[in-house]
Amino acid sequence: MLLLSDIKGQSNAIRFLSNSLSTGRIANSYLFFGPRGVGRALCAKAFLMGLICGERGGEAEACGNCDACHRVNALGHPDISWIKPEKNKAIKIEQIRGVKDTLNMKPYESSISACVIEDAHMMTKEASNALLKILEEPPGRSLLILITDKREMLLETVVSRCAEVRFRPLPVSEAREIIMRDAADLKKEEAHFLAYFSQGSPGRALEMLEEGVIDRKTDLMRILDDMLKEENISCLNWDTENRDQLIEDLELLVMFLRDVAMGKEDLEDMVLDKGMLDTELYGYFKKYPVDKLYGIVERLGGLKTALEGNVNPRIVAQALPGMLK
């Protein structure tokens, strides 16, 4: 199990939470916000472990060995409830009413009743208003932790009633080490690619790995190579019309073209995917003027923004090939 001191790359958040534990100054509600996959939920678990640990005494860290610590770590402690909605599923008012009932109950074993709500921005309007009432009049010895990567989607009245704890992307070197620790068979250069491509989010990088992003990168370069051999590339469609896959493909293409631009400006030590340096495809794009490379990157960024704004993916799949030549 991970204790607060084991969590990497979040020194400010860890310092704040550790100080809260050592001084006993615990807020009724916290908002953990920042990118996905950088340790927000791990910190919430470690913080709760410190609060409930039966052997901590006056220290700022849980013991990690007692029965209470093991049950918090396994999300099996009777005084803690944890809400994690399914992907793209809303958190409904019934769930928040359940939170209220849980926090109103006298703790079974510890001194507090606690609830963690992941992806708190997925609450419906009714659920948000119900949560606000809990925050305005927190029950007894209760603790509420909201976790989100979209703070701006929460009601400002909800945000204003929480102690905010900000989480940041990890440096690429630290993210790479965590990725290599958790994916032991991964090559160092692949871990470096994932650390950068996930924007310093080890959790997201490992999700990408499981989803096959490295194989997709290889396929993408093959598809791109085939397309560039076509005389009339504008008549072609991209090989997928799936929105999420198209967004990821656009991000991969931007990273590749960024590498080409770095190489063209004699900055090959800054190239992320050094395996591309000797390929025919890399050589093809290296003939482009730097301004043209950056122009393509800008257009690809516009496509990504359009997709995220719910433009029909089929339109993007039709437009993408013509932007690359």
Side-chain angles (χ1 to χ4, degrees):
M1 67 182 70
L2 289 177
L3 306 180
L4 279 174
S5 59
D6 296 323
I7 296 170
K8 306 299 182 184
Q10 304 297 343
S11 57
N12 289 340
I14 300 303
R15 189 180 305 114
F16 174 76
L17 295 172
S18 296
N19 185 60
S20 296
L21 287 171
S22 60
T23 61
R25 296 173 183 169
I26 308 298
N28 287 111
S29 53
Y30 291 86
L31 174 61
F32 287 15
F33 71 98
R36 291 172 53 206
V38 297
R40 301 165 308 164
L42 290 173
C43 273
K45 189 189 293 186
F47 183 56
L48 289 171
M49 202 181 299
L51 279 173
I52 291 177
C53 175
E55 306 293 335
R56 182 170 67 88
E59 300 298 321
E61 189 79 289
C63 72
N65 296 315
C66 68
D67 181 63
C69 283
H70 282 288
R71 284 192 288 165
V72 172
N73 184 62
L75 302 183
H77 196 285
D79 295 325
I80 299 174
S81 59
W82 199 293
I83 295 174
K84 184 175 182 178
E86 295 179 32
K87 186 176 181 181
N88 298 325
K89 296 288 186 180
I91 298 173
K92 298 183 179 180
I93 189 171
E94 292 80 8
Q95 292 171 279
I96 301 304
R97 287 171 177 162
V99 169
K100 183 178 181 180
D101 292 341
T102 298
L103 297 183
N104 272 317
M105 292 177 64
K106 182 178 178 181
Y108 288 99
E109 298 178 6
S110 63
S111 59
I112 63 163
S113 294
C115 180
V116 178
I117 304 177
E118 291 195 57
D119 292 335
H121 58 275
M122 295 299 293
M123 288 185 291
T124 63
K125 182 178 179 180
E126 295 76 14
S128 295
N129 287 327
L131 181 74
L132 181 58
K133 292 180 181 178
I134 299 173
L135 293 171
E136 288 173 339
E137 298 179 10
R141 285 283 292 165
S142 65
L143 173 65
L144 187 62
I145 299 177
L146 309 181
I147 300 176
T148 184
D149 61 340
K150 294 181 175 63
R151 177 186 178 279
E152 70 280 2
M153 290 180 63
L154 292 171
L155 294 177
E156 276 302 317
T157 45
V158 167
V159 173
S160 67
R161 285 166 172 78
C162 297
E164 295 190 56
V165 185
R166 184 171 185 171
F167 291 78
R168 300 180 183 276
L170 275 65
V172 168
S173 58
E174 290 189 19
R176 182 186 64 219
E177 295 308 311
I178 294 172
I179 294 165
M180 291 184 69
R181 181 196 69 196
D182 293 344
D185 296 335
L186 204 62
K187 296 176 182 176
K188 187 174 182 178
E189 57 269 23
E190 292 174 335
H192 188 83
F193 154 72
L194 286 168
Y196 181 86
F197 189 57
S198 66
Q199 299 181 329
S201 171
R204 179 64 187 130
L206 293 168
E207 286 179 10
M208 289 175 170
L209 182 63
E210 189 172 331
E211 292 164 0
V213 69
I214 291 178
D215 290 338
R216 179 58 182 173
K217 178 169 71 78
T218 301
D219 290 344
L220 199 64
M221 296 302 105
R222 176 184 52 77
I223 293 165
L224 192 56
D225 189 48
D226 291 342
M227 279 191 163
L228 293 175
K229 292 173 182 175
E230 292 287 339
E231 290 186 10
N232 193 358
I233 194 172
S234 61
C235 294
L236 300 174
N237 274 12
W238 203 242
D239 75 325
T240 179
E241 294 181 359
N242 177 274
R243 186 184 304 275
D244 291 339
Q245 184 64 70
L246 275 168
I247 289 173
E248 187 172 274
D249 286 353
L250 289 167
E251 291 171 344
L252 284 165
L253 287 169
V254 166
M255 194 186 85
F256 167 67
L257 293 170
R258 178 256 183 211
D259 275 354
V260 175
M262 292 297 102
K264 189 171 179 67
E265 296 185 353
D266 297 322
L267 296 171
E268 290 188 350
D269 57 321
M270 296 180 66
V271 170
L272 295 164
D273 191 359
K274 291 184 170 54
M276 292 299 300
L277 291 175
D278 298 322
T279 64
E280 183 180 348
L281 191 61
Y282 178 84
Y284 180 96
F285 277 101
K286 199 173 179 183
K287 296 174 185 176
Y288 283 19
V290 171
D291 288 348
K292 182 173 181 178
L293 288 171
Y294 286 130
I296 295 173
V297 167
E298 186 175 348
R299 292 195 295 274
L300 293 176
L303 279 184
K304 180 172 179 277
T305 300
L307 269 175
E308 292 171 338
N310 287 324
V311 165
N312 190 325
R314 179 172 294 178
I315 296 174
V316 174
Q318 291 170 347
L320 177 54
M323 291 189 174
L324 297 169
K325 199 165 185 180

